[in-house]
Amino acid sequence: MKPVTLKEIAEKLNISVTTVSKALKDYSDVSPKTKALVKELAATLNYTPNSFAVHLRTKESKTIGLVIPEVVHHFFSNVIKGIISEAEKEGYLVIILQSNESYELEKKQIELLMSHRVDGILISLANGTADFKHLNAVIEQDKPLVMFDKIAKLVKCSKIIIDDQKAAYIATQHLIDTGCKRIAHFRGPLLPQNSIDRFLGYKKALLDNGMEYDPNLVYLNDCDENSFDDGKMNAAKLYKEHNDVDGIFINTDMVAIGAISEFNRLGVKIPEEISIVGFSNWFMSSVISPTITTIDQPGYAMGQTAFKQLYKEIKAHKNNVAISPEIIQLETALVKRESTKN
Amino acid sequence: MKPVTLKEIAEKLNISVTTVSKALKDYSDVSPKTKALVKELAATLNYTPNSFAVHLRTKESKTIGLVIPEVVHHFFSNVIKGIISEAEKEGYLVIILQSNESYELEKKQIELLMSHRVDGILISLANGTADFKHLNAVIEQDKPLVMFDKIAKLVKCSKIIIDDQKAAYIATQHLIDTGCKRIAHFRGPLLPQNSIDRFLGYKKALLDNGMEYDPNLVYLNDCDENSFDDGKMNAAKLYKEHNDVDGIFINTDMVAIGAISEFNRLGVKIPEEISIVGFSNWFMSSVISPTITTIDQPGYAMGQTAFKQLYKEIKAHKNNVAISPEIIQLETALVKRESTKN
DNA sequence: TTTCATAACGAAAACGATTTCGATTTTACC
DNA sequence: GGTAAAATCGAAATCGTTTTCGTTATGAAA
């Protein structure tokens, strides 16, 4: 009933625990015969090493922690999948924790992971996080930490990101190129770096094209999320306040879908009366009517890359070699669909 | 740099490791003064117990494993969230593994979890799983196991499910009640229990209403998944083969959305020419046009319930009390929307 | 002064595996 | 046959906690 131990194998074979351990790990000072005997018995008894004992000695848990704002989210789901599948290749297990976009929770989750002695931590910041003590604490404890997507520029660790500003610039430029004269922006929440960068890309594109930047055309969300309803509400507001707007660059596909749904309801024709570009290339954006022009954000690849980088740092840490943080930028692409003219 | 240990605290205070340990756990045979001293120092040194050492002694890892077919999935995302948030309340961490709908992988993941000595396992079966040795092995090792959603009736463990057959019956009945005379079924993959049950509910509703059951109107998927494209393909096929069909009960909202997209393309009016009922009440089904009548499947609650049941069994197991498996059925509801007449 | 209960602390074993280092045996070679 | 080298093995320490079972000191009761 209870799991088999080395000791039990040793007793059955009348040899020492040491030899059993060595035999299973192919040490050179165990005779082929003994090795064969041990391995055979271990197999029939279905022996698996007690990971706690192993890790207590070896100091590595073969486990990493992942903290994300929200599990129920198309982009993060893909990131999770990328991380898990890559981690599996190296024999790593992933513990997933949610911050629910709350700084307090995020802090607590990190402490939990630290006390569980994970080998490294992967994190995408909560929108509410403006203080980075908890992250610096991780770094000071010399535990590998990699941030992805929603990062903090001030924290000294590796980061996997996309060039939000560039992508937003391209998105906005596309609106301009297809004839939009007055372009609004649904910016999402205030704080997170990618909101900021996307906003900056939008603004830069306007100015580079000699267009006026009007702060009144930038719509913030009420709360720290990007929801369908935010899209509906902001679309309704925009429709009332700025009837002359003929293009919107929207922070996220989910919000874009909300907006489109509201415009459909209001009878506003897309893209004839108003063009829309979203962000993230969520599956649904290719399905809804009209299909949405958007920026493809590679969630799965980001997850893979994030784990690979973390793994690299874990290995370096284990071998006591110093390693300097890397910023890895993943490519994005504009996906042209029906919500913009051509 | 390295984490603080009991030993270090003991040395600084010139007392024994034993006393430090006891002080931190409020044993009665430590004086209040010593307790205060120890706790203060532990706090300033930021001491956290080494979980591996603790678990090696106590035999519990405060960790559970979760095996699901697919992370990137609206329903499972919600389940994950329900599990994680409930687990958190009891101080449990969750290790998530994917089976990718493959039996081989599922088996491997379970072995991985067993070797990592998780306290219990939560699983939703891969569509391809028809052999249950790996699950029975878990039960034989006396490790708590709870299945949810996609279960195997033959395995003797607790199960959290919905009454798929009843829900499918209600869905089909709704089609009949709103005037459909010839009703097809997109059944999804062949094997999993909920596919079977939903099919049976569909069939029973037809027969109970004196309608003919025609096997040719039941469409299987090519592969073991439920995708948007399956919906499109089956819709196209149905349109060619059975032009007289005026209602479809579809296994999953995702497939329903695919079907609707295809019918939209073909110019088939919903619900005038053909009514559609989906399954799961995915967020998108309330957003797409037309909005989809569907069965609400409570993913979050299922996750919560699954963890609660597992936790109950873990506690029972710890206290050496026997406990018999429970089957818990969660309520579903028909959500009426635009894809059916009223 | 003796006896005894109580309070306060500590030594040591245990959890299961890994690894160093020393001991023993076998083989090889002159 | 004797010695050195190689091949095999095992004792014991270690990782950090928990917990049992003593031990010592203190004061109260007799």
Side-chain angles (χ1 to χ4, degrees):
Chain A
M1 206 104 300
K2 292 287 105 193
V4 186
T5 67
L6 286 187
K7 198 175 160 193
E8 285 167 38
I9 297 182
E11 279 164 2
K12 292 218 166 110
L13 254 34
N14 256 324
I15 55 178
S16 75
V17 174
T18 309
T19 307
V20 176
S21 173
K22 285 180 182 170
L24 290 173
K25 314 191 87 200
D26 270 328
Y27 271 56
S28 59
D29 63 347
V30 178
S31 74
K33 292 167 237 161
T34 329
K35 273 186 195 171
L37 277 174
V38 171
K39 283 181 181 172
E40 199 196 324
L41 186 58
T44 64
L45 293 181
N46 200 15
Y47 167 79
T48 53
N50 182 315
S51 60
F52 296 129
V54 174
H55 300 153
L56 179 58
R57 273 260 356 186
T58 61
K59 304 283 185 198
E60 43 168 15
S61 66
K62 287 281 180 182
T63 298
I64 64 160
L66 168 62
V67 182
I68 50 172
E70 170 67 58
V71 166
V72 186
H73 190 289
H74 57 105
F75 174 69
F76 286 126
S77 290
N78 274 299
V79 174
I80 292 177
K81 187 169 177 173
I83 293 171
I84 290 183
S85 57
E86 205 60 31
E88 205 183 338
K89 291 185 195 163
E90 307 293 350
Y92 271 77
L93 258 30
V94 183
I95 291 172
I96 301 178
L97 257 24
Q98 275 196 132
S99 65
N100 281 331
E101 301 287 8
S102 140
Y103 163 69
E104 289 305 328
L105 211 51
E106 181 177 293
K107 195 173 147 188
K108 193 184 137 203
Q109 311 295 32
I110 289 212
E111 282 162 8
L112 210 67
L113 291 174
M114 290 299 282
S115 82
H116 259 254
R117 302 290 197 268
V118 292
D119 289 344
I121 293 179
L122 251 26
I123 187 171
S124 189
L125 257 38
N127 283 339
T129 298
D131 177 31
F132 310 124
K133 273 195 231 96
H134 56 313
L135 301 172
N136 287 325
V138 174
I139 296 170
E140 275 162 27
Q141 296 249 352
D142 221 31
K143 175 102 25 190
L145 173 74
V146 172
M147 306 181 61
F148 63 90
D149 192 49
K150 304 212 283 189
I151 63 156
K153 288 200 169 148
L154 293 175
V155 179
K156 242 188 120 203
C157 67
S158 288
K159 290 151 200 153
I160 319 295
I161 48 174
I162 56 170
D163 191 335
D164 279 290
Q165 188 171 337
K166 183 175 150 200
Y169 188 98
I170 290 172
T172 311
Q173 184 68 50
H174 178 65
L175 285 170
I176 297 170
D177 290 346
T178 54
C180 295
K181 299 294 176 206
R182 191 151 163 76
I183 301 172
H185 176 40
F186 289 1
R187 158 177 179 154
L190 191 62
L191 274 183
Q193 191 63 48
N194 51 14
S195 277
I196 298 172
D197 287 337
R198 288 175 202 176
F199 162 70
L200 291 175
Y202 154 79
K203 186 171 167 184
K204 187 161 188 298
L206 291 186
L207 299 179
D208 282 3
N209 284 273
M211 294 172 70
E212 180 206 6
Y213 160 64
D214 179 356
N216 294 319
L217 295 187
V218 175
Y219 285 74
L220 276 169
N221 286 355
D222 290 341
C223 60
D224 275 350
E225 275 177 67
N226 284 305
S227 73
F228 181 81
D229 286 332
D230 286 322
K232 280 187 86 83
M233 278 169 44
N234 280 334
K237 237 195 289 181
L238 178 85
Y239 182 71
K240 261 206 301 213
E241 296 171 358
H242 299 283
N243 212 352
D244 54 337
V245 163
D246 57 1
I248 322 178
F249 166 51
I250 300 183
N251 196 40
T252 296
D253 281 349
M254 176 65 93
V255 177
I257 288 178
I260 285 176
S261 150
E262 180 67 13
F263 285 132
N264 281 343
R265 204 182 63 79
L266 292 168
V268 179
K269 293 236 159 52
I270 303 170
E272 291 78 8
E273 298 176 49
I274 198 160
S275 296
I276 288 180
V277 179
F279 206 109
S280 68
N281 194 22
W282 181 24
F283 173 77
M284 264 300 126
S285 64
S286 67
V287 166
I288 201 164
S289 176
T291 56
I292 308 176
T293 296
T294 189
I295 297 288
D296 182 60
Q297 191 184 9
Y300 188 79
M302 187 172 276
Q304 288 187 304
T305 312
F307 178 80
K308 279 184 196 161
Q309 180 63 25
L310 185 67
Y311 181 60
K312 208 162 109 184
E313 299 191 5
I314 290 175
K315 268 198 303 186
H317 177 257
K318 190 175 148 194
N319 299 328
N320 268 320
V321 331
I323 194 170
S324 48
E326 285 183 48
I327 311 283
I328 303 179
Q329 259 185 10
L330 265 34
E331 285 305 313
T332 57
L334 179 73
V335 184
K336 296 181 194 171
R337 296 211 186 91
E338 296 166 1
S339 68
T340 51
K341 301 178 210 159
N342 48 11
Chain B
M1 205 100 301
K2 291 288 107 194
V4 186
T5 67
L6 287 186
K7 197 174 160 193
E8 286 166 37
I9 297 183
E11 280 165 0
K12 291 216 168 110
L13 254 33
N14 256 325
I15 55 179
S16 77
V17 174
T18 309
T19 307
V20 176
S21 174
K22 285 181 182 171
L24 290 173
K25 313 190 90 200
D26 270 328
Y27 271 55
S28 60
D29 64 345
V30 177
S31 73
K33 291 168 238 158
T34 326
K35 272 186 194 172
L37 276 174
V38 170
K39 284 182 180 172
E40 198 196 324
L41 185 58
T44 64
L45 292 182
N46 199 18
Y47 168 79
T48 52
N50 182 316
S51 60
F52 295 128
V54 174
H55 300 153
L56 179 58
R57 276 261 353 185
T58 62
K59 302 284 184 195
E60 43 168 16
S61 67
K62 288 281 182 181
T63 299
I64 64 161
L66 168 62
V67 182
I68 50 173
E70 170 67 58
V71 166
V72 186
H73 190 289
H74 57 104
F75 175 69
F76 286 125
S77 289
N78 275 298
V79 175
I80 293 178
K81 186 168 176 171
I83 293 171
I84 290 184
S85 58
E86 205 60 29
E88 205 184 336
K89 292 184 195 162
E90 306 292 349
Y92 271 77
L93 258 31
V94 184
I95 291 172
I96 301 178
L97 258 22
Q98 275 196 133
S99 64
N100 282 331
E101 301 288 8
S102 141
Y103 164 70
E104 288 305 327
L105 212 50
E106 182 178 292
K107 196 172 145 190
K108 194 183 137 204
Q109 311 294 32
I110 290 214
E111 282 161 9
L112 212 66
L113 291 174
M114 290 299 281
S115 83
H116 259 255
R117 303 287 197 269
V118 292
D119 289 344
I121 294 180
L122 251 26
I123 187 171
S124 189
L125 256 39
N127 283 338
T129 299
D131 176 32
F132 310 125
K133 273 195 232 95
H134 56 313
L135 301 173
N136 287 324
V138 174
I139 296 170
E140 275 162 28
Q141 295 248 353
D142 221 31
K143 176 105 21 191
L145 174 74
V146 171
M147 306 180 61
F148 63 90
D149 191 49
K150 303 211 285 189
I151 62 156
K153 288 199 171 148
L154 292 175
V155 178
K156 241 188 119 201
C157 67
S158 288
K159 289 151 199 152
I160 319 294
I161 48 173
I162 57 171
D163 191 337
D164 278 290
Q165 190 171 336
K166 182 176 151 199
Y169 188 97
I170 290 173
T172 312
Q173 185 66 51
H174 178 64
L175 285 169
I176 298 170
D177 291 347
T178 54
C180 295
K181 300 294 175 205
R182 193 154 163 74
I183 301 172
H185 176 40
F186 289 2
R187 159 180 180 152
L190 191 62
L191 273 183
Q193 192 62 48
N194 51 13
S195 278
I196 298 173
D197 287 337
R198 289 175 201 177
F199 162 70
L200 291 175
Y202 153 78
K203 188 171 165 184
K204 187 162 189 298
L206 291 186
L207 299 179
D208 282 3
N209 284 273
M211 295 172 70
E212 180 205 7
Y213 160 64
D214 179 356
N216 294 317
L217 296 186
V218 175
Y219 286 75
L220 277 169
N221 287 354
D222 290 341
C223 59
D224 275 350
E225 275 177 68
N226 284 306
S227 72
F228 180 80
D229 286 333
D230 286 321
K232 279 185 89 80
M233 279 168 42
N234 280 333
K237 239 197 285 180
L238 178 86
Y239 182 70
K240 261 205 298 208
E241 296 173 357
H242 299 284
N243 212 353
D244 54 337
V245 164
D246 57 1
I248 322 177
F249 166 51
I250 302 184
N251 197 40
T252 295
D253 280 350
M254 176 64 94
V255 178
I257 288 178
I260 285 177
S261 150
E262 180 66 13
F263 284 132
N264 280 343
R265 206 183 60 80
L266 292 168
V268 178
K269 292 235 159 53
I270 303 170
E272 291 78 7
E273 297 177 51
I274 198 160
S275 296
I276 288 180
V277 179
F279 206 109
S280 67
N281 193 22
W282 181 24
F283 174 76
M284 264 299 126
S285 64
S286 68
V287 165
I288 201 164
S289 176
T291 57
I292 307 176
T293 297
T294 189
I295 297 287
D296 183 60
Q297 190 184 9
Y300 189 79
M302 186 171 277
Q304 287 186 306
T305 312
F307 177 80
K308 280 183 195 160
Q309 180 63 25
L310 185 67
Y311 181 60
K312 210 163 106 185
E313 299 191 6
I314 290 175
K315 268 198 302 187
H317 177 256
K318 190 175 149 194
N319 300 328
N320 269 321
V321 332
I323 196 169
S324 49
E326 287 182 48
I327 312 283
I328 302 179
Q329 259 185 11
L330 265 34
E331 286 304 314
T332 57
L334 179 73
V335 183
K336 295 181 195 173
R337 297 211 187 91
E338 297 166 1
S339 69
T340 51
K341 301 178 210 157
N342 48 9

